[in-house]
C-alpha cells in the first residue's frame, strides 16, 4: 500500500494482530493466547470453534 503512494517504509511496529494486542511484548518474544483471543480469532476467519 505504501509503495502505491510512493512512500518508503523505514520503520514498522506491529501493535496487534487481528484482535490480539501486542502491548508490552518484547521483540522476539511470544505469549500464549488467552481463550477469548483464540475464540474471537477463529470466529473472524469463519471457523466455528465449538
Amino acid at each position: 500500500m505504501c509503495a502505491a503512494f510512493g512512500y518508503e517504509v523505514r520503520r514498522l511496529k506491529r501493535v496487534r494482530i487481528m484482535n490480539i494486542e501486542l502491548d508490552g511484548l518484547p521483540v522476539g518474544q511470544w505469549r500464549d493466547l488467552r481463550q477469548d483471543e483464540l475464540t474471537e480469532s477463529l470466529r473472524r476467519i469463519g471457523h466455528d470453534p465449538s
Side-chain angles (χ1 to χ4, degrees):
M1 181 172 83
C2 291
F5 291 103
Y7 299 143
E8 178 182 330
V9 177
R10 295 185 182 177
R11 188 174 76 175
L12 185 64
K13 180 178 179 182
R14 179 168 272 180
V15 295
R16 72 178 188 162
I17 302 170
M18 292 175 54
N19 61 308
I20 302 163
E21 298 288 333
L22 303 176
D23 50 297
L25 192 62
V27 174
Q29 296 296 307
W30 62 275
R31 66 171 179 81
D32 292 326
L33 294 177
R34 296 187 321 256
Q35 184 60 49
D36 63 309
E37 292 171 327
L38 178 58
T39 300
E40 177 63 13
S41 294
L42 291 171
R43 186 193 67 74
R44 287 182 181 205
I45 63 170
H47 177 75
D48 183 6
S50 52

